[in-house]
Amino acid sequence: MTIRIRRSGPDDRAAILRLMAAARGDGLSPDERAERGFVQGTMDEAVLARFEAGTGVFLAEQDDRLAGFAMTSGTVDPPDGPPRRTLEAARAAVGDQRIFLYGPAAVDPSFQGRGVLTLLLRELSAQLCDRFDLGVAFVEDANRKSLAVHRHYGMTEVPGFSVGERRYHVFTFEPAQFALPEPK
């Protein structure tokens, strides 16, 4: 079965929000969350609509079943906290480049290990590479799975930051590189 990537719309919001809520790992121990990976924060349909109206929310689906999503956003007036600090850290490391924020992203557990995130990264990169030089993401130090995934993709780690007791890693990537077709 083929996994299809497309941008989300209003009819997709409930499924995205359900997967995002499940991916937070509420009810798991800190070690279980670290091993499984987790998504931070919450959002509602209005916030999701703003992501969709901006650089976009990208969906992976198979037979109309949501396999995963990856959100992107521009850098104009990011919220305080990790998003704003991520942009500050990235700009300090790479200078004045055209940057978009990548994340959160989540893959349904039944689709993990099937290249869903790779497909999402390739498609969002293909659609954004003409407008942006770099994608940038933040990952909390406690999220061992997500750190391993970002490092696996060869994203560049730049100096991170802390918010309260939480330490964050900052990763950058060139969408033009991710948009390249997979080698045969």
Side-chain angles (χ1 to χ4, degrees), residues 1 4 38 42 53 68 78 89 91 123 131 133 139-140 166:
M1 300 273 172
R4 183 174 70 113
F38 58 88
T42 60
R91 292 205 188 285
E123 183 61 28
R131 295 172 34 208
D133 304 312
V139 178
E140 187 177 346
R166 294 179 171 174

Side-chain angles (χ1 to χ4, degrees), residues 16-145:
I16 294 167
L17 293 172
R18 277 193 303 275
L19 179 54
M20 185 175 186
R24 275 197 303 275
D26 295 339
L28 298 176
S29 73
D31 281 341
E32 290 170 325
R33 287 181 84 220
E35 289 303 315
R36 186 183 129 203
F38 58 88
V39 171
Q40 291 185 295
T42 60
M43 64 178 60
D44 58 21
E45 286 200 30
V47 173
L48 191 50
R50 286 195 298 274
F51 274 83
E52 290 171 343
T55 51
V57 177
F58 295 81
L59 299 183
E61 61 187 1
Q62 183 179 52
D63 299 327
D64 296 323
R65 181 170 170 222
L66 180 63
F69 68 82
M71 297 184 188
T72 64
S73 58
T75 59
V76 176
D77 196 30
D80 285 332
R84 185 177 305 275
R85 299 286 304 273
T86 298
L87 288 173
E88 292 167 355
R91 292 205 188 285
V94 302
D96 189 27
Q97 296 194 43
R98 300 173 302 162
I99 295 175
F100 70 93
L101 285 165
Y102 157 71
V107 176
D108 182 289
S110 65
F111 286 92
Q112 290 177 1
R114 296 174 49 190
V116 171
L117 188 57
T118 299
L119 294 170
L120 286 163
L121 278 168
R122 286 184 184 285
E123 183 61 28
L124 72 86
S125 290
Q127 289 194 31
L128 299 177
C129 69
D130 290 340
R131 295 172 34 208
F132 298 96
D133 304 312
L134 286 177
V136 63
F138 64 89
V139 178
E140 187 177 346
D141 192 55
N143 196 338
R144 292 191 303 261
K145 169 98 179 219

